[in-house]
Amino acid sequence: MKPSRDQKIWMYEQMHTSRYFEECIEKIYMEGKTPAFNMANGPIPGEMHLSNGQEPCAVGVCAHLNADDIVTSTHRPHHEAIAKGVDLDRMAAEIFGKKTGLSGGRGGHMHIFDARVNFSCSGIIAQGMGPAVGAALSRKLQRKEGVAVAFLGEGAANQGAFHETLNLAAVWKLPVIFVIEDNAWGISVAKSASTAIERNDKRAAAYGIPGHYVPDNDPLAIFEVAGEAIARARRGEGPTLIEIETYRLAGHFMGDAEGYRPEGEKEALFARDPIPKLRQHLFDNEDWSDAQDQELVARAHARVDKAIQFARDSEYPAPEEALEKVFI
Ligand SMILES: Cc1ncc(C[n+]2csc(CCOP(=O)(O)OP(=O)(O)O)c2C)c(N)n1
């Protein structure tokens, strides 16, 4: 199933939104953190994992989902949150630790939850897989519509939860799709040093489910493969495992010196940036004009600017509220 013109434009706009959101976050994160880098300082305290470069994975999959479908994401969640339709103002406020944030400012950027669109994520790798399978099981038992998608990194595919959840999802034929974003590095560890086989989609065979591999970080190709898997899950035919060869343009986290990257890798990745590629595709194939392009980019940027302003203007929670809504 190929994307329609409207679907391509939707994906392109979400990619711009995500990229610009992260460009803004990147700048703001550094406020107050110089000259001595201290993660606790500045308007955005704590770790920060950017997903720029990986936007095609989020939009190619989420283009097939609606608010009732479930997404569980990772410690690198912004692109997926945006593609799933998470409230951007409240997501920005959460990242800033503000009271108006999705979790009242208690979670920060690795704990974005928006029940309105069934989105969650976690800083513990592969942690989203169990909840995705559980949500899919609950939908099946209640005979409710809806699929669950668990996103994870290629490093997380070596976690025990990966094997346990794939097995149960297959045994119970659940409407769940596992999407591995292979960005080549688990922090500084190359995939070849952590994973016994070259491609994780081959692991699907061990659980008797289909496995697909998408080699080129292309949102249009991801859309097609994800569409097939999601339609299959909606028909009640069970789970699918997809591995996408993608890349992160930034370090593992902000402050990462990236000394593990071979010389020239980063420049080569920027030369393959998926956003200008999709833009060119629209110009070549979809009667896309400069004026339309500028209008779309301006709209995406305005939405982000508004969210950042909302976050900046919001209040911090009061210290005496710190333990409210916290389960210990
Ligand atoms: C269970 C667990 N072990 C270790 C960590 C520390 N950790 C955070 S990110 C990361 C690497 C994850 O690599 P990958 O799954 O490929 O995702 P990527 O960071 O490349 O997006 C590790 C080991 C963690 N968060 N959770």
Side-chain angles (χ1 to χ4, degrees):
M1 180 201 323
K2 292 201 185 296
S4 65
R5 181 178 193 275
D6 284 351
Q7 284 166 324
K8 287 179 190 174
I9 293 169
W10 180 87
M11 291 195 279
Y12 181 57
E13 183 160 346
Q14 304 313 307
M15 286 168 71
H16 267 294
T17 307
S18 183
R19 180 65 62 90
Y20 181 62
F21 182 77
E22 293 207 326
E23 284 167 1
C24 293
I25 292 289
E26 192 173 1
K27 282 196 204 113
I28 298 164
Y29 183 78
M30 291 312 293
E31 288 175 19
K33 291 194 178 64
T34 48
F37 184 79
N38 179 344
M39 261 182 208
N41 289 342
I44 304 178
E47 284 192 356
M48 176 53 61
H49 309 83
L50 299 176
S51 60
N52 50 20
Q54 297 185 205
E55 300 93 344
C57 309
V59 300
V61 174
C62 293
H64 299 280
L65 304 179
N66 53 54
D68 284 342
D69 296 316
I70 296 125
V71 164
T72 64
S73 179
T74 69
H75 56 286
R76 199 179 298 290
H78 302 158
H79 55 328
E80 273 127 27
I82 287 169
K84 186 64 171 64
V86 164
D87 183 322
L88 197 60
D89 293 3
R90 296 193 63 206
M91 170 167 145
E94 185 58 39
I95 294 170
F96 278 65
K98 298 293 182 78
K99 196 170 174 165
T100 52
L102 287 162
S103 300
R106 287 164 176 75
H109 111 99
M110 286 185 269
H111 302 100
I112 305 288
F113 295 89
D114 193 348
R116 204 180 42 90
V117 293
N118 286 299
F119 181 89
S120 71
C121 60
S122 167
I124 304 301
I125 65 167
Q127 197 282 334
M129 301 185 77
V133 168
L137 176 62
S138 122
R139 292 293 165 89
K140 185 168 173 158
L141 293 176
Q142 295 180 66
R143 295 191 167 75
K144 280 191 183 161
E145 302 270 307
V147 300
V149 178
F151 288 95
L152 62 144
E154 87 292 340
N158 298 308
Q159 246 260 25
F162 175 87
H163 303 282
E164 295 176 36
T165 53
L166 254 74
N167 184 55
L168 276 183
V171 169
W172 291 334
K173 247 186 166 185
L174 298 179
V176 56
I177 295 93
F178 303 100
V179 179
I180 302 174
E181 293 175 55
D182 172 11
N183 63 13
W185 299 102
I187 310 184
S188 57
V189 179
K191 188 184 189 187
S192 58
S194 69
T195 308
I197 52 172
E198 216 175 299
R199 283 173 34 184
N200 280 305
D201 59 304
K202 294 189 173 157
R203 287 175 156 172
Y207 304 102
I209 64 171
H212 298 288
Y213 179 69
V214 189
D216 46 12
N217 206 28
D218 171 9
L220 308 179
I222 296 167
F223 178 96
E224 284 192 48
V225 170
E228 216 176 283
I230 292 168
R232 183 175 182 275
R234 292 198 199 283
R235 289 194 304 267
E237 292 170 24
T240 300
L241 175 65
I242 300 171
E243 179 158 83
I244 302 165
E245 199 178 306
T246 183
Y247 43 84
R248 59 170 158 80
L249 293 169
H252 170 72
F253 65 132
M254 284 200 63
D256 176 2
E258 298 178 73
Y260 49 86
R261 287 204 199 254
E263 206 176 311
E265 179 177 278
K266 223 155 145 152
E267 295 70 16
L269 296 181
F270 271 99
R272 292 165 55 205
D273 188 334
I275 295 183
K277 269 173 79 179
L278 184 53
R279 177 176 188 268
Q280 194 56 50
H281 172 92
L282 291 175
F283 277 111
D284 293 346
N285 298 281
E286 299 294 349
D287 194 20
W288 190 242
S289 70
D290 271 323
Q292 285 169 314
D293 198 65
Q294 283 160 17
E295 195 188 318
L296 178 147
V297 173
R299 190 167 57 235
H301 286 201
R303 202 180 142 214
V304 171
D305 288 338
K306 174 179 162 288
I308 301 282
Q309 199 56 50
F310 174 79
R312 283 207 192 267
D313 292 345
S314 293
E315 283 177 23
Y316 285 106
E320 54 273 21
E321 294 167 15
L323 294 181
E324 280 175 19
K325 299 181 191 160
V326 175
F327 301 94
I328 43 176

